[in-house]
Amino acid sequence: MDLFQLKGKTALVTGCKRGIGKAMAVALAAAGADIIGVSASLELTGSEVEQEVKALGRSFKAYQCDFSNRAALYAFIQQLEQEVPVVDILVNNAGTILRKPAAEHPDEYWDEVININLNAQFILTREIGKGMIARGNGKVIFTASLLTFQGGINVPGYAASKGAVGSLVKAFANEWASRGVNVNAIAPGYIATDNTAALRADQQRSSAILDRIPAGRWGQPEDFGGPVVFLASKAADYVHGTILTVDGGWMGR
C-alpha cells in the first residue's frame, strides 16, 4: 500500500469548501498529504474541511479566490508562490453551472462559466506546472464531467467548458508526461451535491436519471476519495491523459 502514500506531499485543492472538493481534500489528507484549500467563499479559519483535515493530523492552509476574476486569480498565484513554494498535487475542482436554454443563454452566463471552469484552470495549471516540470514530478487532476462526453440540456456553457477540460487534460499530458508530470481527470456522474439540487428536485428528471444508472443510486462525494488518491500517488505514475469516470456505470450504458 506504500504506492498510495502521500506523506510529505502538499496538495492544492480548489473548490474544496463542500461536496466533491471537500471529500477529495479529506481523502488526500487521510493518505498523508498536507492541504492547501482555495474557494471563493472558503472561511480562512475554522471551516469544516479544515477541521476534518487537521483531525487527520495534517496541516491545512486556506485561501479565497474568485476564479471568474482574472486579476484575483493572478494575485492568488503570486501569493501562493511566496507562501507555498512547492505544490506536489494540484486538484482543479472549482467549478460552476448556470442553467438556461441555449437560445436564451446570456453572454454573462457563458463568460462566467468558461472563466471559472476553463480559463482559470488552464492558467493555474500552467503556472503551478512550471514548478512541477522544474522538479521533474507532480500530479495534476482535473474534475471533468459526464458532459465532457455528452451535451446535456440547458447548460451549453457548462458542456462546452467540460468538453474543453477533457481536451486540455490530453494537451497537458502530451507535453508533460515525459517531464515527470501526470495530468489526468476524474469525470463525476450524477452526484448528490449543490450542483445537482435542481435535478434531484425534479421528480421526472431524477427518476429518468436513476433508471439509467446501473448502480441504482446517486453518487456521493465520498465516492471520489479512492480515485483522487490513486491519481495523486505513485500508483498512477504511468497514467497520463486519462479521464476516469466515477459514475455508477452511466457511461457503460
Side-chain angles (χ1 to χ4, degrees):
M1 298 300 292
D2 287 347
L3 282 174
F4 297 93
Q5 289 294 326
L6 300 177
K7 291 178 182 177
K9 303 294 185 181
T10 296
L12 170 62
V13 184
T14 71
C16 69
K17 182 175 180 177
R18 56 186 177 269
I20 293 172
K22 177 186 169 188
M24 292 196 291
V26 172
L28 292 169
D34 293 317
I35 306 299
I36 308 299
V38 55
S39 294
S41 60
L42 180 65
E43 300 92 334
L44 294 180
T45 59
S47 66
E48 287 187 15
V49 63
E50 177 180 358
Q51 292 176 46
E52 292 187 32
V53 167
K54 288 186 172 180
L56 292 165
R58 310 315 309 170
S59 68
F60 184 90
K61 187 172 181 62
Y63 292 90
Q64 291 182 348
C65 181
D66 176 1
F67 288 108
S68 68
N69 184 312
R70 187 72 57 89
L73 174 61
Y74 275 110
F76 164 66
I77 291 170
Q78 184 177 28
Q79 184 180 6
L80 186 71
E81 289 174 345
Q82 294 171 351
E83 298 179 0
V84 188
V86 175
V87 174
D88 303 289
I89 301 159
L90 169 61
V91 180
N92 284 310
N93 175 71
T96 192
I97 187 168
L98 295 172
R99 302 176 186 276
K100 204 161 248 192
E104 305 164 18
H105 210 77
D107 289 355
E108 55 267 27
Y109 274 30
W110 177 273
D111 290 343
E112 182 174 351
V113 171
I114 295 297
N115 279 333
I116 293 172
N117 293 7
L118 181 62
N119 295 342
Q121 298 195 20
F122 168 72
I123 292 168
L124 191 60
T125 302
R126 182 190 65 200
E127 296 305 307
I128 291 178
K130 292 175 183 177
M132 293 179 174
I133 290 170
R135 294 188 300 274
N137 65 79
K139 307 284 186 181
V140 180
I141 303 157
F142 286 78
T143 296
S145 169
L146 292 182
L147 298 198
T148 299
F149 313 101
Q150 302 173 333
I153 299 171
N154 296 333
V155 288
Y158 184 83
S161 71
K162 292 301 185 176
V165 162
S167 291
L168 186 60
V169 165
K170 297 168 190 174
F172 274 126
N174 288 344
E175 294 189 32
W176 292 0
S178 64
R179 311 294 292 275
V181 180
N182 299 74
V183 184
N184 295 288
I186 296 172
Y190 286 92
I191 314 301
T193 65
D194 292 350
N195 276 359
T196 60
L199 288 177
R200 287 181 286 120
D202 184 329
Q203 187 172 356
Q204 185 175 1
R205 294 275 323 267
S206 181
S207 295
I209 287 167
L210 280 173
D211 285 345
R212 184 176 161 161
I213 300 173
R217 67 172 176 87
W218 286 78
Q220 297 297 321
E222 291 72 26
D223 290 319
F224 295 84
V228 77
V229 169
F230 165 62
L231 290 177
S233 71
K234 280 189 65 61
D237 277 356
Y238 199 59
V239 181
H240 296 276
T242 290
I243 302 170
L244 174 61
T245 54
V246 181
D247 62 356
W250 176 281
M251 289 302 295
R253 290 287 295 268

